[in-house]
Amino acid sequence: MNSFFAMMSRMKYIDRWALMRNSRQENLSEHSLEVSMIAHALAVIGNTCLGKELDAQKAAVFGMYHDATEIITGDMPTPVKYYNSRIKDSYKDIEHQASRTLLSMLPERMQDAYLEIFEKKEEDAYLWKLVKAADKLSAYIKCIEEEQAGNREFISAREMALNHIRSMKLPETELFLEYFIDAYGKNLDELTGGEA
């Protein structure tokens, strides 16, 4: 039985931010789409603004599947996942096993095509950095949205996410913040110029 895509469809059942009170719950499927779009945008920024030659489509695909193993492992809260090196290393081993399990759910002929998504290659290291940055930008955006809804629970998470983004020192993320982040605090009329 080839159950890979049936498993992928279960992303919608994995809730994120389990330790936080949410004004609106976010699931893994929503998060993965947002990370995919932002990773694509970061690569496009790199190409159009910084003279790079990045594979934006590959960045998008990496973003789409970046947390797919959580279908098996669940979403472990960041403070727990990175509590100490032993837990971090153990969790990486669990993620690796989960990725092998997911790959085995594909027909054998297709597995090599998906291998680079689940087993990161050195040649794609910069794209994976962009995906990590997109993941942090998505978290930052979630914090902005929660604050806009009056939820003070995400104030320190917002600051931590922004500090993490800035510490990555990626010019693509700085330009994304400059070009796009302010719009996330706007209402629909402000976003559309009152033409919605």
Side-chain angles (χ1 to χ4, degrees):
M1 180 173 60
N2 300 307
S3 51
F4 180 82
F5 292 104
M7 285 294 281
M8 291 302 117
S9 76
R10 301 186 74 78
M11 282 189 192
K12 61 183 165 278
Y13 303 127
I14 309 297
D15 288 333
R16 293 176 42 78
W17 303 95
L19 296 179
M20 312 275 279
R21 179 177 54 80
N22 289 259
S23 63
R24 184 193 164 283
Q25 195 60 53
E26 177 186 58
N27 67 51
L28 183 58
S29 188
E30 295 167 312
H31 170 69
S32 296
L33 174 62
E34 185 168 60
V35 170
S36 178
M37 289 190 296
I38 294 171
H40 181 268
L42 294 176
V44 170
I45 288 168
N47 294 340
T48 59
C49 302
L50 303 167
K52 296 182 179 181
E53 293 183 11
L54 301 168
D55 188 336
Q57 283 72 23
K58 192 184 259 193
V61 171
F62 288 170
M64 200 174 3
Y65 289 101
H66 80 286
D67 276 342
T69 56
E70 290 182 9
I71 297 164
I72 294 171
T73 67
D75 178 32
M76 183 174 287
T78 299
V80 177
K81 194 188 299 186
Y82 298 107
Y83 181 73
N84 64 36
S85 59
R86 232 175 56 229
I87 291 174
K88 183 180 169 186
D89 291 343
S90 294
Y91 191 73
K92 284 213 175 294
D93 288 342
I94 292 167
E95 282 182 317
H96 179 73
Q97 288 303 316
S99 70
R100 301 307 289 176
T101 299
L102 290 172
L103 279 170
S104 74
M105 295 176 179
L106 286 161
E108 203 168 320
R109 286 184 298 244
M110 292 176 66
Q111 289 179 16
D112 282 348
Y114 284 82
L115 191 61
E116 71 177 352
I117 296 169
F118 291 97
E119 305 277 326
K120 299 173 184 171
K121 292 182 179 175
E122 185 59 38
E123 66 204 50
D124 294 322
Y126 196 76
L127 290 182
W128 281 109
K129 258 189 187 168
L130 294 183
V131 170
K132 184 68 174 169
D135 186 48
K136 292 300 174 187
L137 283 162
S138 176
Y140 184 59
I141 290 162
K142 167 69 172 170
C143 295
I144 291 169
E145 291 169 346
E146 287 291 331
E147 282 190 63
Q148 287 293 112
N151 184 0
R152 296 179 43 79
E153 183 89 3
F154 283 75
I155 291 173
S156 62
R158 178 182 179 175
E159 188 177 318
M160 284 171 41
L162 184 58
N163 288 341
H164 192 125
I165 293 163
R166 291 258 151 86
S167 74
M168 296 179 84
K169 298 187 185 321
L170 293 171
E172 292 89 347
T173 58
E174 294 303 321
L175 288 172
F176 186 93
L177 290 168
E178 181 185 334
Y179 294 159
F180 300 111
I181 210 69
D182 288 345
Y184 286 94
K186 309 276 185 214
N187 65 39
L188 184 58
D189 285 337
E190 292 169 327
L191 289 173
T192 61
E195 300 191 13

